[in-house]
Amino acid sequence: MANLSLALPMRRRFVAVAVGVLAIGGGTLAATAPAQAATSNICGYTNAQPQLYVGSQGVAVEQAQCEIDVAYAFGHSTDYGSGPYNGVLIDGDFGRNTEAAVKNFQIHCMGATNPDGIIGPNTWERLDEGVDSGHFC
């Protein structure tokens, strides 16, 4: 089992340890608040990376909106709202413009043929990579 953990990326090892600690402590936080740490330091709103979708609100949505702007919208001709460079407005409200930007990111940057517009672990990971690389997809 120890050799398997060495092969996992640092982020996944952190999540596994955090979930294991919560499970041992008998807490239920693992089910309600995923313990994932953002790798991007550019936006800096939060390190939390919960699943986000239309209707989600809060600081994690601000982080996602910032990352979608930096990783995708700034480098493309977009019209997702009144944010910088016509990107997503960073307002903490996951609405239709944010969903449209996420779907286009999933198509153009992740190769999705049927994008869902939901920011889950895979989309967070690709957003983090895009922001940290400094290159638009």
Side-chain angles (χ1 to χ4, degrees):
M1 190 74 146
N3 291 337
L4 176 61
S5 68
L6 292 176
L8 294 174
M10 181 59 112
R11 183 165 153 194
R12 289 197 179 123
R13 282 187 270 163
F14 172 76
V15 171
V17 169
V19 170
V21 169
L22 289 171
I24 291 169
T28 57
L29 287 176
T32 58
Q36 295 179 352
T39 60
S40 172
N41 295 325
I42 302 276
C43 296
Y45 290 91
T46 182
N47 287 335
Q49 294 188 328
Q51 182 170 314
L52 301 173
Y53 43 84
V54 171
S56 297
Q57 295 182 331
V59 71
V61 174
E62 290 176 308
Q63 180 72 27
Q65 290 169 327
C66 178
E67 289 196 29
I68 199 75
D69 278 347
V70 172
Y72 179 70
F74 289 169
H76 295 81
S77 296
T78 64
D79 189 17
Y80 300 123
S82 58
Y85 305 98
N86 291 326
V88 176
L89 180 64
I90 301 172
D91 62 1
D93 184 14
F94 197 122
R96 296 295 173 198
N97 286 336
T98 302
E99 180 186 42
V102 171
K103 284 183 177 181
N104 279 315
F105 177 82
Q106 289 171 333
I107 291 168
H108 298 290
C109 304
M110 299 176 67
T113 56
N114 190 18
D116 59 11
I118 296 171
I119 301 177
N122 294 333
T123 303
W124 274 118
E125 183 174 352
R126 291 301 290 270
L127 284 169
D128 291 342
E129 288 171 6
V131 170
D132 290 340
S133 74
H135 301 299
F136 305 118
C137 66

mmCIF file of all heavy atoms in Angstrom, residues 106-135:
data_model
loop_
_atom_site.group_PDB
_atom_site.id
_atom_site.type_symbol
_atom_site.label_atom_id
_atom_site.label_comp_id
_atom_site.label_asym_id
_atom_site.label_seq_id
_atom_site.Cartn_x
_atom_site.Cartn_y
_atom_site.Cartn_z
ATOM 1 N N GLN A 106 -14.352 22.984 -21.019
ATOM 2 C CA GLN A 106 -14.361 21.517 -21.068
ATOM 3 C C GLN A 106 -14.233 21.006 -22.507
ATOM 4 O O GLN A 106 -13.569 20.005 -22.753
ATOM 5 C CB GLN A 106 -15.627 20.976 -20.406
ATOM 6 C CG GLN A 106 -15.617 21.167 -18.898
ATOM 7 C CD GLN A 106 -16.944 20.840 -18.229
ATOM 8 O OE1 GLN A 106 -18.016 20.945 -18.834
ATOM 9 N NE2 GLN A 106 -16.886 20.478 -16.950
ATOM 10 N N ILE A 107 -14.847 21.701 -23.448
ATOM 11 C CA ILE A 107 -14.748 21.299 -24.859
ATOM 12 C C ILE A 107 -13.347 21.567 -25.395
ATOM 13 O O ILE A 107 -12.688 20.671 -25.934
ATOM 14 C CB ILE A 107 -15.792 22.042 -25.722
ATOM 15 C CG1 ILE A 107 -17.203 21.568 -25.397
ATOM 16 C CG2 ILE A 107 -15.492 21.862 -27.216
ATOM 17 C CD1 ILE A 107 -18.301 22.448 -25.984
ATOM 18 N N HIS A 108 -12.886 22.808 -25.272
ATOM 19 C CA HIS A 108 -11.652 23.236 -25.922
ATOM 20 C C HIS A 108 -10.385 22.857 -25.176
ATOM 21 O O HIS A 108 -9.342 22.693 -25.797
ATOM 22 C CB HIS A 108 -11.683 24.750 -26.153
ATOM 23 C CG HIS A 108 -12.791 25.173 -27.048
ATOM 24 N ND1 HIS A 108 -12.814 24.894 -28.399
ATOM 25 C CD2 HIS A 108 -13.938 25.826 -26.794
ATOM 26 C CE1 HIS A 108 -13.917 25.370 -28.935
ATOM 27 N NE2 HIS A 108 -14.627 25.938 -27.967
ATOM 28 N N CYS A 109 -10.460 22.707 -23.882
ATOM 29 C CA CYS A 109 -9.252 22.451 -23.092
ATOM 30 C C CYS A 109 -9.181 21.034 -22.540
ATOM 31 O O CYS A 109 -8.112 20.582 -22.135
ATOM 32 C CB CYS A 109 -9.155 23.450 -21.947
ATOM 33 S SG CYS A 109 -9.195 25.169 -22.481
ATOM 34 N N MET A 110 -10.323 20.355 -22.499
ATOM 35 C CA MET A 110 -10.350 19.008 -21.935
ATOM 36 C C MET A 110 -10.791 17.958 -22.953
ATOM 37 O O MET A 110 -10.806 16.777 -22.646
ATOM 38 C CB MET A 110 -11.274 18.977 -20.710
ATOM 39 C CG MET A 110 -10.823 19.895 -19.585
ATOM 40 S SD MET A 110 -11.973 19.933 -18.177
ATOM 41 C CE MET A 110 -11.809 18.257 -17.552
ATOM 42 N N GLY A 111 -11.198 18.402 -24.140
ATOM 43 C CA GLY A 111 -11.616 17.462 -25.181
ATOM 44 C C GLY A 111 -12.970 16.829 -24.945
ATOM 45 O O GLY A 111 -13.269 15.783 -25.522
ATOM 46 N N ALA A 112 -13.809 17.437 -24.134
ATOM 47 C CA ALA A 112 -15.133 16.867 -23.842
ATOM 48 C C ALA A 112 -16.035 16.990 -25.063
ATOM 49 O O ALA A 112 -16.067 18.021 -25.727
ATOM 50 C CB ALA A 112 -15.769 17.580 -22.658
ATOM 51 N N THR A 113 -16.750 15.933 -25.368
ATOM 52 C CA THR A 113 -17.719 15.971 -26.465
ATOM 53 C C THR A 113 -19.119 16.261 -25.952
ATOM 54 O O THR A 113 -19.981 16.672 -26.713
ATOM 55 C CB THR A 113 -17.727 14.644 -27.248
ATOM 56 O OG1 THR A 113 -17.982 13.572 -26.330
ATOM 57 C CG2 THR A 113 -16.381 14.414 -27.937
ATOM 58 N N ASN A 114 -19.349 16.034 -24.684
ATOM 59 C CA ASN A 114 -20.640 16.314 -24.067
ATOM 60 C C ASN A 114 -20.390 16.999 -22.715
ATOM 61 O O ASN A 114 -20.555 16.388 -21.664
ATOM 62 C CB ASN A 114 -21.433 15.012 -23.891
ATOM 63 C CG ASN A 114 -22.861 15.273 -23.475
ATOM 64 O OD1 ASN A 114 -23.371 16.381 -23.620
ATOM 65 N ND2 ASN A 114 -23.510 14.254 -22.946
ATOM 66 N N PRO A 115 -19.983 18.276 -22.738
ATOM 67 C CA PRO A 115 -19.631 18.964 -21.486
ATOM 68 C C PRO A 115 -20.835 19.133 -20.580
ATOM 69 O O PRO A 115 -21.952 19.344 -21.048
ATOM 70 C CB PRO A 115 -19.117 20.317 -21.965
ATOM 71 C CG PRO A 115 -19.856 20.549 -23.237
ATOM 72 C CD PRO A 115 -19.978 19.188 -23.877
ATOM 73 N N ASP A 116 -20.601 19.033 -19.268
ATOM 74 C CA ASP A 116 -21.714 19.155 -18.319
ATOM 75 C C ASP A 116 -21.762 20.520 -17.633
ATOM 76 O O ASP A 116 -22.742 20.842 -16.972
ATOM 77 C CB ASP A 116 -21.667 18.044 -17.273
ATOM 78 C CG ASP A 116 -20.384 18.007 -16.455
ATOM 79 O OD1 ASP A 116 -19.578 18.961 -16.528
ATOM 80 O OD2 ASP A 116 -20.182 17.010 -15.740
ATOM 81 N N GLY A 117 -20.711 21.318 -17.769
ATOM 82 C CA GLY A 117 -20.707 22.635 -17.137
ATOM 83 C C GLY A 117 -20.540 22.591 -15.631
ATOM 84 O O GLY A 117 -20.695 23.597 -14.954
ATOM 85 N N ILE A 118 -20.203 21.431 -15.101
ATOM 86 C CA ILE A 118 -19.994 21.240 -13.668
ATOM 87 C C ILE A 118 -18.489 21.222 -13.404
ATOM 88 O O ILE A 118 -17.733 20.586 -14.137
ATOM 89 C CB ILE A 118 -20.644 19.925 -13.182
ATOM 90 C CG1 ILE A 118 -22.158 20.012 -13.361
ATOM 91 C CG2 ILE A 118 -20.263 19.617 -11.735
ATOM 92 C CD1 ILE A 118 -22.884 18.705 -13.123
ATOM 93 N N ILE A 119 -18.067 21.915 -12.369
ATOM 94 C CA ILE A 119 -16.655 21.895 -11.997
ATOM 95 C C ILE A 119 -16.477 20.854 -10.901
ATOM 96 O O ILE A 119 -16.870 21.067 -9.757
ATOM 97 C CB ILE A 119 -16.168 23.274 -11.525
ATOM 98 C CG1 ILE A 119 -16.374 24.308 -12.628
ATOM 99 C CG2 ILE A 119 -14.697 23.200 -11.111
ATOM 100 C CD1 ILE A 119 -15.984 25.714 -12.250
ATOM 101 N N GLY A 120 -15.939 19.718 -11.300
ATOM 102 C CA GLY A 120 -15.620 18.637 -10.374
ATOM 103 C C GLY A 120 -14.114 18.472 -10.318
ATOM 104 O O GLY A 120 -13.365 19.334 -10.810
ATOM 105 N N PRO A 121 -13.620 17.369 -9.769
ATOM 106 C CA PRO A 121 -12.176 17.173 -9.600
ATOM 107 C C PRO A 121 -11.373 17.284 -10.900
ATOM 108 O O PRO A 121 -10.305 17.893 -10.907
ATOM 109 C CB PRO A 121 -12.063 15.766 -9.014
ATOM 110 C CG PRO A 121 -13.384 15.499 -8.396
ATOM 111 C CD PRO A 121 -14.396 16.265 -9.193
ATOM 112 N N ASN A 122 -11.867 16.710 -11.999
ATOM 113 C CA ASN A 122 -11.117 16.757 -13.255
ATOM 114 C C ASN A 122 -11.037 18.174 -13.811
ATOM 115 O O ASN A 122 -9.987 18.603 -14.293
ATOM 116 C CB ASN A 122 -11.741 15.824 -14.297
ATOM 117 C CG ASN A 122 -11.617 14.376 -13.906
ATOM 118 O OD1 ASN A 122 -10.707 13.991 -13.186
ATOM 119 N ND2 ASN A 122 -12.544 13.558 -14.369
ATOM 120 N N THR A 123 -12.137 18.900 -13.749
ATOM 121 C CA THR A 123 -12.135 20.272 -14.258
ATOM 122 C C THR A 123 -11.274 21.169 -13.373
ATOM 123 O O THR A 123 -10.510 21.989 -13.883
ATOM 124 C CB THR A 123 -13.573 20.813 -14.394
ATOM 125 O OG1 THR A 123 -14.318 19.933 -15.240
ATOM 126 C CG2 THR A 123 -13.577 22.205 -14.997
ATOM 127 N N TRP A 124 -11.375 21.008 -12.052
ATOM 128 C CA TRP A 124 -10.501 21.773 -11.157
ATOM 129 C C TRP A 124 -9.038 21.523 -11.508
ATOM 130 O O TRP A 124 -8.229 22.465 -11.571
ATOM 131 C CB TRP A 124 -10.728 21.387 -9.695
ATOM 132 C CG TRP A 124 -11.830 22.105 -8.988
ATOM 133 C CD1 TRP A 124 -12.957 21.544 -8.454
ATOM 134 C CD2 TRP A 124 -11.921 23.510 -8.687
ATOM 135 N NE1 TRP A 124 -13.734 22.512 -7.854
ATOM 136 C CE2 TRP A 124 -13.120 23.730 -7.987
ATOM 137 C CE3 TRP A 124 -11.089 24.595 -8.958
ATOM 138 C CZ2 TRP A 124 -13.516 24.980 -7.536
ATOM 139 C CZ3 TRP A 124 -11.485 25.853 -8.513
ATOM 140 C CH2 TRP A 124 -12.686 26.037 -7.813
ATOM 141 N N GLU A 125 -8.683 20.267 -11.696
ATOM 142 C CA GLU A 125 -7.288 19.925 -11.991
ATOM 143 C C GLU A 125 -6.815 20.610 -13.270
ATOM 144 O O GLU A 125 -5.733 21.189 -13.313
ATOM 145 C CB GLU A 125 -7.134 18.409 -12.102
ATOM 146 C CG GLU A 125 -5.705 17.972 -12.333
ATOM 147 C CD GLU A 125 -5.527 16.463 -12.308
ATOM 148 O OE1 GLU A 125 -6.488 15.742 -11.969
ATOM 149 O OE2 GLU A 125 -4.428 16.014 -12.643
ATOM 150 N N ARG A 126 -7.634 20.580 -14.316
ATOM 151 C CA ARG A 126 -7.252 21.213 -15.580
ATOM 152 C C ARG A 126 -7.221 22.732 -15.463
ATOM 153 O O ARG A 126 -6.375 23.392 -16.065
ATOM 154 C CB ARG A 126 -8.197 20.780 -16.693
ATOM 155 C CG ARG A 126 -8.051 19.315 -17.074
ATOM 156 C CD ARG A 126 -6.635 18.947 -17.561
ATOM 157 N NE ARG A 126 -6.317 19.524 -18.844
ATOM 158 C CZ ARG A 126 -6.547 18.942 -20.008
ATOM 159 N NH1 ARG A 126 -7.075 17.740 -20.049
ATOM 160 N NH2 ARG A 126 -6.236 19.553 -21.131
ATOM 161 N N LEU A 127 -8.143 23.306 -14.692
ATOM 162 C CA LEU A 127 -8.100 24.753 -14.457
ATOM 163 C C LEU A 127 -6.797 25.128 -13.748
ATOM 164 O O LEU A 127 -6.116 26.075 -14.152
ATOM 165 C CB LEU A 127 -9.298 25.207 -13.622
ATOM 166 C CG LEU A 127 -10.635 25.304 -14.338
ATOM 167 C CD1 LEU A 127 -11.769 25.506 -13.336
ATOM 168 C CD2 LEU A 127 -10.621 26.428 -15.369
ATOM 169 N N ASP A 128 -6.457 24.392 -12.700
ATOM 170 C CA ASP A 128 -5.218 24.655 -11.959
ATOM 171 C C ASP A 128 -4.007 24.567 -12.890
ATOM 172 O O ASP A 128 -3.122 25.418 -12.855
ATOM 173 C CB ASP A 128 -5.053 23.667 -10.805
ATOM 174 C CG ASP A 128 -6.058 23.852 -9.685
ATOM 175 O OD1 ASP A 128 -6.682 24.931 -9.607
ATOM 176 O OD2 ASP A 128 -6.229 22.913 -8.889
ATOM 177 N N GLU A 129 -3.977 23.531 -13.727
ATOM 178 C CA GLU A 129 -2.868 23.367 -14.667
ATOM 179 C C GLU A 129 -2.789 24.542 -15.626
ATOM 180 O O GLU A 129 -1.714 25.057 -15.915
ATOM 181 C CB GLU A 129 -3.030 22.069 -15.457
ATOM 182 C CG GLU A 129 -2.782 20.817 -14.663
ATOM 183 C CD GLU A 129 -3.154 19.552 -15.427
ATOM 184 O OE1 GLU A 129 -3.512 19.630 -16.623
ATOM 185 O OE2 GLU A 129 -3.073 18.473 -14.822
ATOM 186 N N GLY A 130 -3.943 24.970 -16.140
ATOM 187 C CA GLY A 130 -3.967 26.081 -17.080
ATOM 188 C C GLY A 130 -3.495 27.376 -16.458
ATOM 189 O O GLY A 130 -2.727 28.131 -17.060
ATOM 190 N N VAL A 131 -3.931 27.638 -15.241
ATOM 191 C CA VAL A 131 -3.519 28.858 -14.547
ATOM 192 C C VAL A 131 -2.035 28.813 -14.224
ATOM 193 O O VAL A 131 -1.301 29.765 -14.469
ATOM 194 C CB VAL A 131 -4.354 29.071 -13.267
ATOM 195 C CG1 VAL A 131 -3.783 30.190 -12.411
ATOM 196 C CG2 VAL A 131 -5.811 29.353 -13.619
ATOM 197 N N ASP A 132 -1.574 27.692 -13.702
ATOM 198 C CA ASP A 132 -0.192 27.578 -13.268
ATOM 199 C C ASP A 132 0.792 27.569 -14.438
ATOM 200 O O ASP A 132 1.928 28.006 -14.300
ATOM 201 C CB ASP A 132 0.020 26.334 -12.410
ATOM 202 C CG ASP A 132 -0.642 26.467 -11.046
ATOM 203 O OD1 ASP A 132 -0.925 27.608 -10.626
ATOM 204 O OD2 ASP A 132 -0.899 25.430 -10.410
ATOM 205 N N SER A 133 0.350 27.074 -15.605
ATOM 206 C CA SER A 133 1.256 27.005 -16.760
ATOM 207 C C SER A 133 1.482 28.375 -17.380
ATOM 208 O O SER A 133 2.484 28.598 -18.046
ATOM 209 C CB SER A 133 0.693 26.059 -17.819
ATOM 210 O OG SER A 133 -0.413 26.661 -18.495
ATOM 211 N N GLY A 134 0.516 29.281 -17.213
ATOM 212 C CA GLY A 134 0.640 30.593 -17.826
ATOM 213 C C GLY A 134 0.281 30.604 -19.297
ATOM 214 O O GLY A 134 0.471 31.601 -19.985
ATOM 215 N N HIS A 135 -0.229 29.482 -19.810
ATOM 216 C CA HIS A 135 -0.612 29.379 -21.220
ATOM 217 C C HIS A 135 -2.098 29.083 -21.323
ATOM 218 O O HIS A 135 -2.637 28.296 -20.565
ATOM 219 C CB HIS A 135 0.151 28.246 -21.908
ATOM 220 C CG HIS A 135 1.636 28.415 -21.851
ATOM 221 N ND1 HIS A 135 2.299 29.483 -22.399
ATOM 222 C CD2 HIS A 135 2.599 27.653 -21.277
ATOM 223 C CE1 HIS A 135 3.585 29.372 -22.182
ATOM 224 N NE2 HIS A 135 3.795 28.258 -21.487
#
